[in-house]
Amino acid sequence: MPQAHDAGYKLLFSNPEFVRDLLLGFVPQEWVGQVDFSSLEMLNGHYVSEDMQGRYEERVWRLRLGEDDWVYLYLLLEFQSTPARFMALRLLTYIGLFWQQLEKQGRLTHDGRLPPVLPLVLYNGFKPWRHSTRLSDLYHPAPAGLQAFQPSFEYLLIGKSVPGQRTEWAAEPGGDADATGTGADTTGDEDGRR
C-alpha cells in the first residue's frame, strides 16, 4: 500500500463507524461485546519522543468499556504495506510515548493507572507477513533469572496476506507465526516504515 493508500486508510479509519466495524468484525474477543460504541472519540495521535528525535502519528481512539466503568481503551492503528520484522518494537515505542503523554496530561484511569491499549496493525501488502507479532521473538533468550525482567508485548495483526488467518481479513493474535517460520524469512525484509 503506497503512501496514497496509507492516507486513504487513515481517512477511512477517522470514521467511528469504520472503527466499530473493524472491532466487531475482526477482533473475536469477549471484551468487544462490552464496548460502548457511542463513546468512540478520536484523539490526537501525534507524539514526540523526550529527546525530540522521533515523531509518530497514527490513528488513536478511545472508548468506554463496560456499562459503569469509565476505564478507556486506547486503540492504536498502524497502517503497513510491507512486512516489518521489528513492528513489535516500533509499537512498544508508540505505546510508551502515548502513556507518557497521558501521564503528563493527568489523563489516567479513575484509579490513577495507565489505560489498556490495543495495538492493531492493518496490513494490506502482497508479500506474506511471516514475522512474529510477539516482542519476545525479537530478542535473544535471556538466561534463567533474567527472563522475568524482559518486556512482554504482542500486537494484533489483520491483513489479507497474513498466513494462518481463516478468512481474507480475519484477525488472529500471534499471526500464526509459529506455523509459518517466524523470523526465518529475512530476505527482502522491509523494516522501514511502509
Side-chain angles (χ1 to χ4, degrees), residues 1-12 59:
M1 178 171 47
Q3 291 289 348
H5 288 147
D6 186 56
Y9 269 75
K10 286 187 178 185
L11 183 62
L12 280 177
R59 289 294 172 255

Side-chain angles (χ1 to χ4, degrees), residues 4 18 25 29 52 56-57 66 84 87 106 108 124-125 147 178 183:
F18 277 90
Q29 297 174 352
M52 302 298 285
Y56 310 97
E57 185 171 1
M87 179 57 72
L108 303 176
N124 196 26
Q147 294 170 353
D178 293 335

Side-chain angles (χ1 to χ4, degrees), residues 80 82-84 87 90 189-194:
Q80 189 71 24
T82 55
M87 179 57 72
R90 184 186 308 166
D189 188 27
E190 294 91 355
D191 286 331
R193 292 189 59 81
R194 293 176 238 325

Side-chain angles (χ1 to χ4, degrees), residues 3-73:
Q3 291 289 348
H5 288 147
D6 186 56
Y9 269 75
K10 286 187 178 185
L11 183 62
L12 280 177
F13 287 99
S14 296
N15 182 323
E17 291 179 10
F18 277 90
V19 175
R20 181 199 64 211
D21 292 347
L22 176 71
L23 289 175
L24 289 174
F26 302 108
V27 184
Q29 297 174 352
E30 190 176 321
W31 62 264
V32 176
Q34 302 169 18
V35 169
D36 174 5
F37 287 104
S38 68
S39 69
L40 268 169
E41 175 189 358
M42 191 165 71
L43 303 177
N44 173 21
H46 188 83
Y47 314 105
V48 181
S49 61
E50 287 267 318
D51 60 4
M52 302 298 285
Q53 295 298 311
R55 300 179 71 86
Y56 310 97
E57 185 171 1
E58 297 302 335
R59 289 294 172 255
V60 180
W61 288 85
R62 75 175 178 176
L63 42 86
R64 192 174 61 176
L65 195 58
E67 293 179 13
D68 302 315
D69 197 351
W70 283 94
V71 171
Y72 283 89
L73 173 114

